């Protein structure tokens, strides 16, 4: 009990300094234990440490104005997806750690023949945070690539890259051949894998059924993964992972199926997400 009393008797500015050395999650938990921590947690001293150093740049790049009166409110605003750079990117902070995540829209990606309406079309979808998404009409050459600078991300953090998609009910040819997946940082060795994408037919009605099938996403280290449902209603395939140190390098992320030469269609692409991986 003496230890608890000691913390409650500390000056609020000292408590704020202590909390700023933890994480957003730990700070919130501590405020439930010590009464002094509850008021100290509202201090800008705490939340300024949890915000990324370039938070003012993110605010200025926002497509819509942000309303906040404290650093804590700003942190909470940035934990929700924020459209930046004219709506081509979506940015948010991870609530528990304050680490950065990005979702690159299809407008920020390189998609082979995406400007030719014979192969792709661009349509708005209420389920998407972006103004439009790319819908594959038909192609024999499916290649999607995204790039991001590591300097935009949180340092000393393991990241995963994910292709965010939906599959139309009339999709075809997407499981004719494995797609090649890769993530490469700078000139380093690429993380590679492969995956099938399934359409919606009577034998493959939902993700739970996909789990019972033998065709899974296959990666180099023999780890098996599947096409996963996301909380936002979309699905995702992990393209790979990488560790972000302190260097500013370019990360290349790709998804391609160019070997079968069979026509395929019905794939809806929202973008590529880069987020901390735990």
């Amino acid at each position: 009990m003496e230890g608890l009393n000691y913390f409650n008797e500390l000056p609020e500015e000292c408590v704020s300094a202590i909390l700023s050395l933890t994480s957003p999650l730990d700070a919130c938990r501590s405020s439930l234990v010590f009464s002094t921590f509850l008021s100290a947690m509202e201090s800008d001293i705490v939340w300024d440490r949890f915000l990324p150093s370039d938070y003012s740049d993110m605010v200025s790049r926002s497509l819509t104005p942000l309303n906040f009166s404290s650093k804590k409110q700003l942190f909470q605003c940035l934990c929700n997806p924020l459209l930046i750079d004219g709506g081509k990117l979506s940015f948010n902070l991870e609530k528990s750690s304050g680490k950065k995540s990005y979702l690159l829209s299809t407008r920020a990606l390189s998609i082979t023949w995406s400007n030719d309406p014979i192969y792709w079309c661009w349509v708005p979808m209420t389920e998407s945070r972006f103004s439009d998404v790319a819908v594959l009409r038909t192609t024999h050459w499916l290649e999607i690539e995204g790039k991001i600078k590591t300097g935009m991300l949180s340092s000393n953090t393991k990241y995963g890259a994910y292709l965010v998609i939906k599959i139309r009910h009339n999709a075809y040819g997407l499981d004719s051949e494995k797609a090649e997946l890769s993530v490469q940082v700078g000139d380093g060795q690429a993380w590679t894998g492969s995956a099938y994408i399934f359409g919606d037919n009577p034998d493959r009605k939902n993700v739970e059924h996909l789990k019972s099938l033998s065709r899974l996403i296959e990666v180099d280290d023999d780890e098996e993964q599947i096409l996963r449902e996301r909380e936002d209603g979309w699905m995702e395939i992990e393209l790979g992972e990488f560790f972000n140190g302190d260097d500013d390098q370019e990360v290349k992320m790709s998804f391609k199926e160019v070997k079968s030469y069979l026509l395929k269609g019905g794939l809806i692409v929202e973008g590529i997400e880069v987020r901390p991986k735990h």
Side-chain angles (χ1 to χ4, degrees):
M1 293 298 295
E2 291 183 3
L4 294 179
N5 291 332
Y6 173 77
F7 276 112
N8 283 326
E9 292 173 1
L10 283 174
E12 186 172 304
E13 57 270 21
C14 291
V15 176
S16 296
I18 293 171
L19 290 177
S20 70
L21 299 176
T22 63
S23 68
L25 180 60
D26 290 335
C28 291
R29 286 174 173 172
S30 298
S31 67
L32 299 176
V33 179
F34 305 110
S35 58
T36 306
F37 282 26
L38 184 59
S39 57
M41 196 186 68
E42 302 296 322
S43 170
D44 279 353
I45 296 175
V46 176
W47 295 96
D48 189 58
R49 286 289 298 268
F50 295 156
L51 287 166
S53 59
D54 60 348
Y55 71 84
S56 58
D57 180 53
M58 291 301 163
V59 172
S60 66
R61 292 161 62 187
S62 175
L63 196 61
T64 56
L66 296 180
N67 297 315
F68 58 92
S69 58
S70 68
K71 294 292 179 63
K72 181 182 179 181
Q73 287 185 4
L74 175 58
F75 182 90
Q76 292 171 334
C77 287
L78 295 181
C79 285
N80 296 311
L82 180 71
L83 291 179
I84 61 174
D85 296 353
K88 290 185 177 181
L89 297 180
S90 175
F91 165 84
N92 69 277
L93 298 178
E94 187 178 57
K95 290 182 180 180
S96 61
S97 67
K99 294 183 181 295
K100 302 176 185 177
S101 296
Y102 287 89
L103 178 57
L104 286 66
S105 74
T106 45
R107 294 292 184 181
L109 304 179
S110 174
I111 303 177
T112 302
W113 301 326
S114 61
N115 292 324
D116 191 329
I118 294 177
Y119 302 105
W120 292 85
C121 62
W122 299 83
V123 299
M125 287 187 67
T126 55
E127 302 97 319
S128 176
R129 67 188 69 178
F130 300 114
S131 59
D132 56 14
V133 297
V135 179
L136 176 61
R137 284 178 165 168
T138 187
T139 189
H140 71 277
W141 191 281
L142 179 56
E143 187 169 13
I144 303 169
E145 183 179 273
K147 297 178 181 179
I148 191 170
K149 289 286 190 178
T150 58
M152 297 171 59
L153 306 172
S154 299
S155 60
N156 300 314
T157 302
K158 184 179 181 181
Y159 274 91
Y162 306 84
L163 181 68
V164 182
I165 62 173
K166 282 182 179 287
I167 301 174
R168 283 189 161 180
H169 70 280
N170 58 350
Y172 60 92
L174 296 175
D175 57 355
S176 58
E177 180 66 42
K178 288 180 181 178
E180 299 173 40
L181 320 173
S182 71
V183 171
Q184 183 178 22
V185 181
D187 296 324
Q189 183 176 1
W191 187 105
T192 60
S194 59
Y196 282 102
I197 299 182
F198 294 93
D200 184 16
N201 65 39
D203 295 324
R204 303 165 184 157
K205 291 183 178 179
N206 52 51
V207 172
E208 289 303 317
H209 187 68
L210 290 182
K211 292 179 181 178
S212 67
L213 299 177
S214 60
R215 281 179 165 179
L216 300 172
I217 296 176
E218 300 175 0
V219 296
D220 287 348
D221 58 4
D222 295 325
E223 178 185 356
E224 292 186 339
Q225 302 180 44
I226 61 170
L227 185 63
R228 291 182 171 86
E229 282 186 309
R230 293 163 52 94
E231 292 182 357
D232 59 8
W234 289 77
M235 304 182 80
E236 66 181 23
I237 292 176
E238 183 176 356
L239 301 178
E241 63 182 42
F242 62 95
F243 183 80
N244 185 36
D246 296 319
D247 298 332
D248 189 12
Q249 302 184 74
E250 185 175 70
V251 182
K252 297 179 181 178
M253 306 159 286
S254 73
F255 174 97
K256 63 180 180 179
E257 198 290 278
V258 298
K259 292 182 177 179
S260 70
Y261 289 98
L262 297 175
L263 291 178
K264 52 191 71 68
L267 181 67
I268 304 172
V269 183
E270 185 181 38
I272 293 178
E273 184 173 45
V274 182
R275 66 173 187 261
K277 187 175 181 182
H278 303 286

